[in-house]
Amino acid sequence: MAWQDLVGSYSLQYVPQSVLDRMASSHMLGIFFRLDTDPGLHIWAGVNDIPAGFDSLDENGTVYLGGGRLLNVPTLEVLVNGQSSSVEFGISGIDPDTAAKVLDTMPDVRGKDLKIGITTLDDYYQPTSPIIALWTGTASHPTESSLAVSGSENPTTTITLATVSGNNTRSRASLVLWSGPHQKAMYPTDKFCDGTARLARGVAPAWPNY
């Protein structure tokens, strides 16, 4: 399937026509990973470091580091009227000492925006346009794992970052109130939660007939 067929009808000029035209005739596509930490993390799925950037997000001169092969990149879904999606991104082949230093010096990632974008590359592996954002998520936490080795094999570590998209949380939001008294503590005239205790016992409400 041509890249143009993949995104053509969806793009509605969101993807520049010049990029679509190049996708139709070239497989040189750059995938970019931007984590809004302090300092920011900028990686792309390639070998060399290249200057690139998301429009209005990255400053001129921002360099995306070549991360090699990005592992555990799942199908990225844009949820419409959905709850949430949880995905993990990973980089493997890191020696254990380097991995430990990365985790020890890593800035706080929880709650930071993560963007995945693409653009085509020219014959010199340079971006032909600003990075086009295709997916946005919220970082949760990093993890590390190592496979058992034998003989003369060198141990390696895989670092992954858990990320969620959509409305995903394990805790109850502070403004989600479940009882009448709690609701009235903030909104004295609001009777929306007056029947919470009765309905919690399984009492079927009598719906009005209009």
Side-chain angles (χ1 to χ4, degrees), residues 43-164:
I43 298 177
W44 78 287
V47 178
N48 55 311
D49 302 344
I50 58 176
F54 287 86
D55 247 348
S56 75
L57 293 177
D58 291 321
E59 300 176 355
N60 290 336
T62 298
V63 173
Y64 278 73
L65 306 179
R69 181 185 177 189
L70 296 179
L71 298 181
N72 302 330
V73 178
T75 300
L76 301 177
E77 299 178 346
V78 178
L79 301 177
V80 178
N81 294 330
Q83 287 298 312
S84 63
S85 176
S86 179
V87 296
E88 289 188 351
F89 302 90
I91 301 179
S92 69
I94 308 171
D95 70 87
D97 290 340
T98 300
K101 291 178 182 177
V102 169
L103 293 172
D104 288 342
T105 59
M106 180 181 293
D108 183 28
V109 301
R110 187 170 184 83
K112 304 300 183 181
D113 284 344
L114 183 148
K115 293 188 181 300
I116 302 295
I118 63 169
T119 188
T120 48
L121 306 176
D122 62 20
D123 294 339
Y124 299 97
Y125 295 94
Q126 300 301 304
T128 60
S129 75
I131 302 171
I132 303 160
L134 294 183
W135 186 87
T136 298
T138 303
S140 176
H141 61 277
T143 61
E144 61 174 324
S145 61
S146 299
L147 296 176
V149 297
S150 60
S152 60
E153 295 180 350
N154 294 323
T156 60
T157 300
T158 297
I159 296 179
T160 60
L161 177 65
T163 309
V164 298

Side-chain angles (χ1 to χ4, degrees), residues 2-8 11 13-32 53 55 117-122 126-134:
W3 287 109
Q4 190 171 18
D5 296 335
L6 180 65
V7 297
S11 65
Q13 301 304 314
Y14 179 73
V15 178
Q17 188 61 46
S18 60
V19 175
L20 293 176
D21 293 341
R22 190 167 183 86
M23 284 181 174
S25 60
S26 172
H27 64 276
M28 295 176 63
L29 185 71
I31 302 175
F32 297 83
D55 247 348
I118 63 169
T119 188
T120 48
L121 306 176
D122 62 20
Q126 300 301 304
T128 60
S129 75
I131 302 171
I132 303 160
L134 294 183

